[in-house]
Amino acid sequence: MRAFNPFDAAQAQNADPILAELRRETPVALIGEGMYYVTRHAECREVLRDSSRFTNAQGFKAPGVVILPEERLLGELDPPHHARVRRVMVTALTPTIVRSAEGFIGEEADRLLAGVAGPTADLVPSFTVPLPNRVTVHLLGLPAGDSTAIAGWAKELMESDFPRTNRTERGEGFAAAFPDFAGYIDERIHARRAAIEAGHDVPDDVLTRLLRLDVDGEPLVQSQLRALVRNLITGGLTTTSQLLGNLLHELLTSEELERALRAAPGAVDAAIEESLRLSPPVLFIARGCPAGASIAGTSVEPGERVIVGSASANRDEALFDDADVFRVDRANADQHVTFGYGPHFCPGAHLARAVARIGVGAFLARFPAGSVRLQEGYRFENVPTFFERGPRHLPVTVAG
């Protein structure tokens, strides 16, 4: 057994060399008592597609932490409830809704980048964090002026121990651990519900759609609505922010990539997929195995845990040539498992890609080649969240 704890940020965020060794040795590695890490692409997809043997309910929570079903995020639900709630989320966040928001995304990207006037700036707090957050706030129909407070609450939650333990010093569960954040979401839900019931005209935004949709003929209960709204907010702040930050970091450290993206704007889409593959915003996905199973000949006993190593699978040398190299011309980069696979494929993937595409396009359009550079002596520092990969800071110099 090789000791490796993916729930320890110091290990998980610097694990590529260890994961490469594990991949060479075995597709399923025992890394701790009752915990297996799936290292290769084919086996990761096998686990992700099989939601009957490998359950989602434990999510990223520590062993023994139990969440009430109605308070679980989408990624913590299992069939049949997961399928029903996922249909609600997919319906509320359709490609048509995302396309209708593209003009807003572009306007916000331009507005934020106009503030990056130099001579120095940090692109994380000035661009990669606020852009996805403002887009999510817009899609939910929340007041634009609340976006800074919402981002602060979400950042505090994601950088705390709450994602693992479901508690803080304030209490257990989202409402007790983050009363201001939960209370704000509840107030917005109550206000929108009251407007709908009174017959007032309400915007056809994601919040309205969540309130009007149902699961098996029944509306979602308040705690589930709160969980889904929180899910959208934190997902926009983290996954999409890390995607945008990782891609900009690659662009700022590779003149070759910058030239390629400027020469062919369509190459941005390919670069997004390669960034998702090589620097996945979410490093792994945790699954439980309640009844026992076998993966590639390795027996997993009932109650043991399976870690689907997205970051490892995305560098599987059996599928990706030069797997550790960022190649914008990689033909199969979109075969990464960063957004999951099968029944748990992320319903927000289309939105994340749109924000990254428009955000990077706006960056390239505003700043001439070579006019923005990482500050001298910059060293990559990862965000503190244990299951994420992305730059904590992107300090740059901006030519006047």
Side-chain angles (χ1 to χ4, degrees):
M1 178 180 73
R2 183 188 298 273
F4 168 55
N5 182 6
F7 296 90
D8 177 357
Q11 294 186 58
Q13 295 167 353
N14 299 283
D16 290 332
I18 293 175
L19 296 179
E21 291 182 23
L22 290 176
R23 250 189 336 270
R24 287 191 291 270
E25 293 171 3
T26 178
V28 183
L30 179 63
I31 58 171
E33 185 176 351
M35 186 182 298
Y36 293 84
Y37 193 101
V38 186
T39 67
R40 298 177 188 169
H41 189 273
E43 286 75 16
C44 282
R45 296 215 310 183
E46 175 189 342
V47 172
L48 289 171
R49 75 161 65 96
D50 191 346
S51 57
S52 61
R53 292 190 303 160
F54 304 103
T55 67
N56 212 26
Q58 187 66 28
F60 289 102
K61 300 297 184 289
V65 176
V66 178
I67 312 296
L68 295 174
E70 63 271 17
E71 295 184 358
R72 292 175 184 168
L73 304 181
L74 184 61
E76 296 169 340
L77 293 170
D78 285 314
H81 197 53
H82 171 271
R84 295 193 292 261
V85 174
R86 189 179 188 280
R87 283 198 298 271
V88 171
M89 292 288 278
V90 169
T91 304
L93 201 60
T94 63
T96 299
I97 289 176
V98 173
R99 282 194 298 271
S100 71
E102 289 188 354
F104 175 85
I105 299 171
E107 291 170 2
E108 285 300 306
D110 288 338
R111 186 176 295 113
L112 289 166
L113 290 170
V116 183
T120 62
D122 187 340
L123 293 178
V124 171
S126 62
F127 185 54
T128 68
V129 167
L131 179 60
N133 177 60
R134 292 184 185 184
V135 171
T136 301
V137 166
H138 171 76
L139 286 171
L140 281 166
L142 303 177
D146 295 345
S147 61
T148 299
I150 292 169
W153 288 325
K155 183 175 186 292
E156 180 190 6
L157 185 154
M158 295 304 292
E159 294 185 359
S160 74
D161 208 32
F162 181 82
R164 189 177 66 88
T165 64
N166 193 47
R167 65 180 302 114
T168 66
E169 68 281 358
R170 290 184 289 263
E172 184 174 358
F174 176 48
F178 296 93
D180 292 342
F181 192 7
Y184 174 85
I185 294 174
D186 285 346
E187 288 174 6
R188 305 314 306 180
I189 291 172
H190 288 317
R192 184 62 60 83
R193 180 183 284 116
I196 293 172
E197 291 175 351
H200 298 159
D201 288 334
V202 294
D204 183 27
D205 51 34
V206 172
L207 184 57
T208 294
R209 287 173 175 245
L210 288 174
L211 282 162
R212 284 180 166 161
L213 292 170
D214 58 57
V215 177
D216 293 342
E218 296 292 332
L220 293 168
V221 298
Q222 176 69 22
S223 55
Q224 185 69 75
L225 281 166
R226 182 200 302 141
L228 293 178
V229 171
R230 170 193 145 202
N231 202 164
L232 288 165
I233 291 171
T234 55
L237 182 75
T238 56
T239 305
T240 309
S241 295
Q242 311 315 354
L243 166 58
L244 186 56
N246 286 331
L247 188 50
L248 283 175
H249 176 263
E250 191 69 35
L251 187 154
L252 291 168
T253 53
S254 171
E255 293 183 7
E256 181 181 357
L257 176 61
E258 182 177 1
R259 286 194 298 271
L261 299 188
R262 290 185 183 280
V268 170
D269 288 325
I272 288 170
E273 299 309 314
E274 181 68 341
S275 180
L276 286 165
R277 182 194 70 84
L278 193 62
S279 300
V282 177
L283 297 168
F284 62 88
I285 303 168
R287 292 285 186 266
C289 187
S294 175
I295 312 169
T298 297
S299 295
V300 181
E301 298 301 317
E304 292 187 319
R305 204 165 197 189
V306 175
I307 307 299
V308 180
S310 310
S312 179
N314 289 350
R315 297 187 183 218
D316 190 339
E317 297 82 356
L319 182 63
F320 302 108
D321 295 332
D322 299 323
D324 292 331
V325 178
F326 190 106
R327 282 178 36 191
V328 74
D329 64 344
R330 189 180 300 277
N332 65 343
D334 61 354
Q335 292 186 40
H336 61 76
V337 290
T338 298
F339 287 126
Y341 183 73
H344 289 287
F345 186 81
C346 175
H350 188 70
L351 176 60
R353 288 178 167 118
V355 172
R357 171 174 49 80
I358 296 170
V360 171
F363 181 88
L364 293 170
R366 174 165 288 274
F367 299 110
S371 63
V372 180
R373 286 287 178 259
L374 288 169
Q375 291 181 19
E376 186 175 352
Y378 169 78
R379 295 183 64 182
F380 184 94
E381 179 186 359
N382 205 87
V383 293
T385 312
F386 68 91
F387 56 86
E388 292 185 333
R389 175 176 290 164
R392 193 170 191 176
H393 300 287
L394 282 175
V396 295
T397 57
V398 183

